[in-house]
Amino acid sequence: HAATALATVWFGANDGADASLNPRQHVPIDEYKTNLTQIVERIRQRCERVIVLSPPPIHEASYRTVFVEPRQGKGAPLDRSLAVSQSYAVAAGEVAAAT
């Protein structure tokens, strides 16, 4: 059985959803980092090279127009933000650097 040469891990886009507006998808950032660390460590048991991809930035205006307003109406609050997605991206980078 050949070893896996490279694995990519990409989590965090939904984890950073607002806890009060989207509790089903939200994962607190400390728990996100712990989970991501465990995932990377488990993959490393079978694959030496693991690339951790950060969650993408949220373009709030587009997210509002395409996803929020068609489902919840004009003026509905956003359950995601650029600032929060950035904090999850930083956390993913910290995990990547530490594992």
Side-chain angles (χ1 to χ4, degrees):
H1 190 262
T4 302
L6 174 71
T8 57
V9 178
W10 185 22
F11 290 100
N14 292 325
D15 304 71
D18 183 274
S20 61
L21 296 173
N22 194 342
R24 186 175 67 81
Q25 291 186 323
H26 174 75
V27 176
I29 197 159
D30 290 337
E31 184 178 345
Y32 166 76
K33 285 179 73 171
T34 298
N35 293 345
L36 189 57
T37 298
Q38 291 173 350
I39 290 166
V40 171
E41 288 173 348
R42 184 153 185 177
I43 292 170
R44 282 206 191 276
Q45 293 173 3
R46 295 185 179 217
C47 182
E48 185 177 324
R49 296 179 187 172
V50 179
I51 296 173
V52 177
L53 301 171
S54 69
I58 301 295
H59 186 267
E60 294 174 8
S62 295
Y63 183 69
R64 175 180 302 285
T65 302
V66 174
F67 294 103
V68 175
E69 289 181 349
R71 293 174 179 86
Q72 298 175 12
K74 199 161 190 76
L78 297 179
D79 67 338
R80 296 156 207 264
S81 71
L82 180 59
V84 173
S85 67
Q86 180 182 10
S87 66
Y88 279 73
V90 168
E94 292 169 355
V95 170
T99 54

